[in-house]
Amino acid sequence: MVHELKDNMAQRLMVALDYPDVAQAKLLMEKLEGIPCYTKVGMQLFYAAGPEFIRELKSRGYSVFLDVKMHDIPNTVKGGAESLTKLGVDMFNVHAAGGRAMMEAARAGAEAAAKHNPLLQMPLIIAVTQLTSTSQEVMNGEIGISGSVGDTVVRYAKLAAEAGLDGVVASPQESAAVAAACGPSFRTVTPGIRPAGSSMDDQSRVMTPGQAIRQGSHYLVVGRPVTAAPDPRQAALTIIEEMIQA
């Protein structure tokens, strides 16, 4: 039972493979071998490594969140979603700021690919609300959105739910509000996770792993606290333990 609980919680930890090339990413995966965590592949690595690295991660048994944040006209996003679903990713994201029609198109593209090939699974489609690097001042003064960050996140989350998406990317500070607005099964993927004593780096809205779990976050995205740690494996195991104890 303890081992099962540990594995289940490990599957809620998304390790961000924020590397410029495949060699460094593979080295980390070797160090994490046997920990059934999710892997998050962002734009830098995906643009450098391409689809073949995603296929390799899948062949190793890892779930893959492809973090490419699509934001374009609906037809283009539909085509992109179809391609990512054919690639076999478990999760990908779009920007909620693209609007309801764009988000609906993303789901339509994924469904078309899954329907065409019954061996493919339908990926989770997640909408980005506000980046965790976005402060209140930036959102109001530079992006031009009035009100509070929390209100904007919830508004985008409701729109994503209406469009048929599976959840949102939001800071852990908004997880409880998203669950209240969209229901507990609507998933929250939360970057900005920093174990106690860690540097905030370029994040503005952060929480510890335990705090995020208590707030209701479904998946915790952790990058530098694992990837830049002297012992990445131990760092990941420590975070999982904190998640279990939450």
Side-chain angles (χ1 to χ4, degrees), residues 71-209:
H71 188 173
D72 213 312
I73 63 173
N75 192 57
T76 298
V77 169
K78 180 180 179 181
E82 190 168 355
S83 294
L84 295 185
T85 302
K86 289 178 180 177
L87 185 55
V89 302
D90 301 274
M91 181 188 294
F92 68 87
N93 56 3
V94 301
H95 268 288
R100 179 169 177 167
M102 189 206 75
M103 288 189 280
E104 289 174 341
R107 184 156 195 89
E111 288 174 342
K115 183 178 180 181
H116 182 73
N117 183 353
L119 296 179
L120 290 173
Q121 67 171 354
M122 184 68 183
L124 296 173
I125 307 175
I126 307 296
V128 178
T129 54
Q130 286 295 310
L131 301 175
T132 50
S133 59
T134 301
S135 65
Q136 180 81 38
E137 293 73 23
V138 168
M139 191 187 79
N140 295 158
E142 297 180 17
I143 301 175
I145 298 176
S146 60
S148 71
V149 172
D151 288 345
T152 300
V153 168
V154 170
R155 184 173 69 253
Y156 276 151
K158 289 180 178 178
L159 187 64
E162 291 168 3
L165 269 55
D166 301 291
V168 291
V169 179
S171 91
Q173 295 178 9
E174 290 104 35
S175 293
V178 169
C182 303
S185 63
F186 190 71
R187 296 166 180 84
T188 49
V189 178
T190 56
I193 304 300
R194 291 290 184 272
S198 297
S199 168
M200 287 179 62
D201 298 306
D202 57 356
Q203 304 285 359
S204 293
R205 308 192 317 279
V206 301
M207 277 190 185
T208 67

Side-chain angles (χ1 to χ4, degrees), residues 12-18 40 65 67 91 169-170 188-194 203 207 212 217-226 239:
R12 296 173 64 181
L13 170 63
M14 291 182 163
V15 176
L17 304 182
D18 294 332
K40 184 183 83 71
F65 170 27
D67 180 20
M91 181 188 294
V169 179
T188 49
V189 178
T190 56
I193 304 300
R194 291 290 184 272
Q203 304 285 359
M207 277 190 185
S217 297
H218 292 82
Y219 299 98
L220 310 189
V221 179
V222 181
R224 284 160 285 194
V226 171
I239 290 170

